[in-house]
Amino acid sequence: MIETLRKRFQENMDRHPSVQWQTVEALLQKDEKMLRALSMMEESGGEPDILVMNGHILLCDCAKESPAGRRSLCYDREARLSRKKNTPAGSAVEEAERMGARLMTEAEYRHLQTLGEFDLKTSSWVQTPEEIRRLGGAIFCERRYGTVFTFHNGADSYYGVRGFRCVLTVE
């Protein structure tokens, strides 16, 4: 996983111009949980890479489209359990937690979009504010017409083109 990440890091220097690979590698070498999470992100199609946002190093999914191995999921456990028919195989929040990661925030998603064009054919669940979730909704983002949009849906909805993007914060 370290070699895959190193190669992606070197191929996409515009995503992290202020970060040295040696710094990242040293942090990864001593964090087995993070390496396991990165491997799961990679295996499910996330293509993780390094981003810098507000002075913090983030490891996040940078696949052009929402990771193929993480689609057709509702938002969270509560939404999954509330479905009476056609229950999805899982939920975005549960899967991210199982992987040892978390969903991207809307701000992180918008930052990612400043570094390229992502989700031109798919969409990605993002962390939903508690007040929206309490009312049964959840939010997702996508890029269309050269613009990043944030939308809402019932948290129990799921679509073949909607997945989620993971983030790990490097301390």
Side-chain angles (χ1 to χ4, degrees):
M1 186 64 238
I2 289 178
E3 182 57 29
T4 299
L5 191 60
R6 183 192 61 75
K7 184 177 180 205
R8 194 170 290 132
F9 178 93
Q10 292 172 338
E11 290 171 352
N12 298 285
M13 293 302 291
D14 56 317
R15 294 178 182 165
H16 38 257
S18 62
V19 179
Q20 298 295 316
W21 171 250
Q22 294 79 4
T23 303
V24 174
E25 185 174 24
L27 292 166
L28 292 174
Q29 296 273 356
K30 60 184 180 182
D31 194 335
E32 189 62 37
K33 279 177 58 178
M34 188 172 289
L35 279 172
R36 206 169 26 258
L38 282 168
S39 291
M40 292 175 86
M41 290 165 66
E42 181 71 20
E43 288 167 13
S44 57
E47 300 177 21
D49 196 7
I50 311 300
L51 300 185
V52 178
M53 184 175 166
N54 300 328
H56 297 284
I57 297 174
L58 305 175
L59 294 156
C60 68
D61 292 315
C62 293
K64 280 298 193 188
E65 301 297 338
S66 194
R70 293 188 239 143
R71 296 185 193 163
S72 297
L73 303 169
C74 63
Y75 182 72
D76 61 10
R77 181 178 192 274
E78 180 184 346
R80 180 178 55 78
L81 294 176
S82 73
R83 291 217 41 133
K84 303 297 181 222
K85 293 181 177 178
N86 303 316
T87 305
S91 76
V93 172
E94 288 175 297
E95 286 297 307
E97 289 172 353
R98 183 184 65 74
M99 293 167 67
R102 64 173 173 78
L103 295 188
M104 198 174 261
T105 66
E106 181 182 359
E108 290 163 345
Y109 186 90
R110 288 182 177 281
H111 178 68
L112 174 66
Q113 292 284 1
T114 68
L115 303 171
E117 294 186 342
F118 301 89
D119 284 334
L120 298 174
K121 299 174 187 168
T122 58
S123 60
S124 296
W125 288 115
V126 295
Q127 286 184 22
T128 297
E130 188 55 41
E131 55 274 13
I132 294 172
R133 187 61 199 94
R134 203 173 19 256
L135 295 170
I139 61 174
F140 63 95
C141 298
E142 63 187 30
R143 183 184 197 106
R144 302 290 189 275
Y145 311 109
T147 303
V148 178
F149 291 95
T150 301
F151 296 101
H152 63 89
N153 227 166
D156 65 343
S157 66
Y158 64 98
Y159 300 93
V161 295
R162 183 172 309 144
F164 67 95
R165 293 175 181 274
C166 287
V167 175
L168 301 164
T169 304
V170 178
E171 303 296 332

